[in-house]
Amino acid sequence: MSPVVEVHARARLITDGPLTRPVPVDLRYDPADDRRTVHIGLPDGTDWAFGRDLLERGLRTPIERGAVHVWPCGRTQLIVELHSTDGVEVFQFEIRTLTRFLARTRAQAPATPPDAGREPQPPSRTTTTRPERGAQPARG
């Protein structure tokens, strides 16, 4: 069983106004779940799941798949745009953070996945109630 890769990172939420604001995000990969899927967990409990290849290709060239658009912004930034019925959220990531995360996911993935020829899953968005970072679990 391969361990889950989870990285607590910071992204910048891009808004219509002149200021951006940093937000904590969780980058997650569980090879037991689907070895081709990564997750971005947002502070409001929203979890976006999409193909790892989307992030990898987005580091080099603009790409979109369904509700997720990814493109490089200069040499050090990556933009991830997430579309939903609630609107659009745009996040700016440090490329080095995502590069390290993706390297860790590749180290956990099997060398020759049995589903290599299958189409990647379309992006999905779920909302869950997530405990705040640093919160202690309830004891009973």
Side-chain angles (χ1 to χ4, degrees), residues 32-44:
D33 184 22
D34 183 345
R35 67 183 56 115
R36 296 168 299 149
T37 301
V38 294
H39 296 261
I40 295 180
L42 304 177
D44 66 358

Side-chain angles (χ1 to χ4, degrees), residues 104-124:
R104 289 181 62 197
T105 69
R106 281 190 298 274
Q108 295 304 325
T112 53
D115 55 0
R118 287 186 19 210
E119 275 294 308
Q121 295 294 326
S124 65

Side-chain angles (χ1 to χ4, degrees), residues 42-139:
L42 304 177
D44 66 358
T46 302
D47 181 76
W48 282 87
F50 50 89
R52 180 176 58 182
D53 66 309
L54 191 64
L55 277 183
E56 289 172 336
R57 290 175 58 194
L59 290 170
R60 297 180 305 277
T61 186
I63 184 170
E64 66 180 78
R65 188 172 299 137
V68 179
H69 303 211
V70 181
W71 66 91
C73 180
R75 293 169 30 123
T76 62
Q77 304 294 316
L78 182 81
I79 304 295
V80 177
E81 185 177 280
L82 306 169
H83 295 251
S84 72
T85 55
D86 296 332
V88 177
E89 293 178 293
V90 180
F91 296 91
Q92 183 178 28
F93 287 88
E94 293 285 330
I95 283 179
R96 70 175 177 248
T97 300
L98 293 174
T99 301
R100 282 193 299 258
F101 170 70
L102 290 169
R104 289 181 62 197
T105 69
R106 281 190 298 274
Q108 295 304 325
T112 53
D115 55 0
R118 287 186 19 210
E119 275 294 308
Q121 295 294 326
S124 65
R125 174 183 182 256
T126 58
T127 305
T128 59
T129 304
R130 294 177 6 168
E132 285 191 38
R133 284 203 186 149
Q136 297 297 316
R139 300 195 193 278

